[in-house]
Amino acid sequence: MADRITIGILTGGGDCPGLNAVIRAVARRSFDRGDAAIGVREGWRGLVEGKLAELGRQEISGILPRGGTILGTSRTNPYTIEGGVERVLATVGEAGIDALVAVGGEDTLGVAARLHAEHGLPVVGVPKTIDNDLSATDYTFGFDTAVSIATEAIDRLHTTAESHNRVMVVEVMGRHTGWIAVMSGIASGADVILIPEHPITVEAACEEIRRRHARGKDFSIVVVSEGYELTTASGERAAVARPPAATDQFGHARLGGVGELLGREIEERTGFETRVTVLGHVQRGGTPTARDRVLATRFGLKAADLVKEGRFGTMAALHGDAIVAVPLAEAVAGLKTVPAEWYEVARAFFG
Ligand code: F6P
């Protein structure tokens, strides 16, 4: 690597709390070394369309506790845009970007891994997503904040459920995996938790609620992950997506609505009055928890170090308590799903 380099920073995919902490850490470490940083606006779209932003000490001042991303984000996939990849490479060259730090989940980092493998793009990844479903890292930043927000919301629903003797169904995010549902459900003492990886049936969920009522508990808290497919004992399974059915540039449908359907089923089958709350993007907004700020900061410093060492095609990852480097390709090879042991912890408190 040249003595003084310019590092581009890009945040892609769904935003999450902690992105600004990463930007700050990458930039601070770069400035301290005499390197320069440049912001790429709106994820991969910024490199396709040449949208860049100045990133000096002024721009990163005061952003550590701020939610969202000062660079903006998008779900743009250059591989689905005619000439997109060529434009990305051209922008990198024209802007004098010597190395890129891509902060994202499976989609953003999937593009980074491919650009590195196919075109030698000098890129280092940082694992972000409230869903916590990225492989090769124990945790992604953003997840802890989302779980905290969901837990607080469920605590609040608990008290009103109890006052009214109602079943409260809470739909939380998690596109392919039930990490948020399981963790917030365990933390808030949920009576039933439904997730895509270990789909119990609607009948089984109703049975748990009835069992609880038979024990004299007149209210119940049911947490359902948006990716749970409504599953019945007859073997039917239906994924629930919101209209329009159109998918994004990575082929993902817009999820949401399973809570409403489940709530209706529970009320009809058990006769217990049921209400539904969809937490939605509240889980992604606002200030990061202290844990996420620290994790994002450590990831950012590591990414800047990996760049300086020329270790491209890697990603900063958390293993136990240590921040390590893993191959980007490994991180995006498959999703990290909720293992049976974790679901068993949740299950111990059902009914
Ligand atoms: O991947 C993060 C996530 O929040 C998922 O949990 C959710 O399904 C999706 O993004 C929502 O995406 P959008 O912000 O495009 O509605």
Side-chain angles (χ1 to χ4, degrees):
M1 282 261 105
D3 273 359
R4 186 174 192 279
I5 59 170
T6 297
I7 303 177
I9 308 172
L10 164 162
T11 54
D15 71 342
C16 82
L19 285 165
N20 288 324
V22 179
I23 295 168
R24 168 180 175 267
V26 173
R28 284 282 293 268
R29 174 126 305 168
S30 305
F31 299 154
D32 288 350
R33 288 193 171 127
D35 292 332
I38 187 166
V40 176
R41 295 214 47 90
E42 298 164 19
W44 292 111
R45 185 193 289 150
L47 289 178
V48 172
E49 297 178 6
K51 289 169 137 182
L52 303 172
E54 205 174 308
L55 210 51
R57 287 196 184 268
Q58 184 63 32
E59 284 72 24
I60 59 161
S61 170
I63 66 172
L64 173 64
R66 266 172 64 186
T69 161
I70 60 164
L71 296 175
T73 185
S74 72
R75 296 197 188 275
T76 299
N77 181 354
Y79 278 96
T80 62
I81 298 170
E82 175 109 32
V85 169
E86 291 68 28
R87 272 146 61 192
V88 166
L89 299 174
T91 305
V92 167
E94 284 157 17
I97 294 173
D98 299 298
L100 187 69
V101 172
V103 189
E106 41 149 352
D107 297 330
T108 303
L109 297 183
V111 170
R114 211 170 147 189
L115 286 169
H116 175 71
E118 295 174 3
H119 299 279
L121 185 79
V123 61
V124 164
V126 174
K128 159 245 68 155
T129 165
I130 63 162
D131 294 352
N132 195 41
D133 57 1
L134 211 59
S135 290
T137 183
D138 290 352
Y139 288 95
T140 53
F141 73 87
F143 174 63
D144 185 63
T145 308
V147 169
S148 302
I149 293 168
T151 301
E152 198 210 315
I154 299 168
D155 284 348
R156 287 174 187 277
L157 292 167
H158 226 116
T159 62
T160 167
E162 195 167 4
S163 307
H164 287 268
N165 293 343
R166 283 173 176 160
V167 177
M168 287 288 186
V169 174
V170 192
E171 180 183 309
V172 298
M173 277 187 166
R175 181 181 278 143
H176 309 289
T177 61
W179 284 106
I180 297 176
V182 162
M183 294 297 189
S184 62
I186 292 172
S188 60
D191 305 304
V192 185
I193 303 172
L194 299 102
I195 64 171
E197 295 95 322
H198 307 282
I200 61 166
T201 62
V202 172
E203 288 87 345
C206 290
E207 197 38 48
E208 296 289 5
I209 296 168
R210 277 194 212 97
R211 197 154 67 87
R212 193 174 144 75
H213 279 237
R215 275 196 296 114
K217 291 280 192 178
D218 292 333
F219 70 97
S220 294
I221 300 289
V222 177
V223 178
V224 59
S225 182
E226 62 176 357
Y228 166 77
E229 296 182 340
L230 207 69
T231 307
T232 53
S234 63
E236 268 179 69
R237 285 177 75 163
V240 184
R242 281 190 198 287
T247 54
D248 66 15
Q249 289 186 7
F250 289 92
H252 304 302
R254 198 179 300 170
L255 294 179
V258 69
E260 199 56 53
L261 292 183
L262 181 66
R264 224 175 292 155
E265 290 280 346
I266 290 173
E267 193 165 73
E268 273 169 21
R269 288 169 190 262
T270 64
F272 301 134
E273 189 180 4
T274 303
R275 292 288 190 276
V276 178
T277 302
V278 180
L279 292 186
H281 292 81
V282 166
Q283 295 158 100
R284 286 215 325 240
T287 188
T289 57
R291 189 183 168 88
D292 271 339
R293 292 182 202 188
V294 173
L295 183 59
T297 297
R298 294 177 77 202
F299 279 155
L301 292 180
K302 182 70 176 182
D305 291 347
L306 290 171
V307 162
K308 207 58 184 174
E309 292 160 15
R311 295 172 67 188
F312 299 117
T314 60
M315 182 186 84
L318 181 71
H319 285 182
D321 211 19
I323 304 290
V324 299
V326 297
L328 251 181
E330 200 181 297
V332 298
L335 288 172
K336 185 182 68 194
T337 53
V338 175
E341 312 82 270
W342 267 117
Y343 195 59
E344 282 312 310
V345 175
R347 244 193 143 119
F349 300 92
F350 282 12

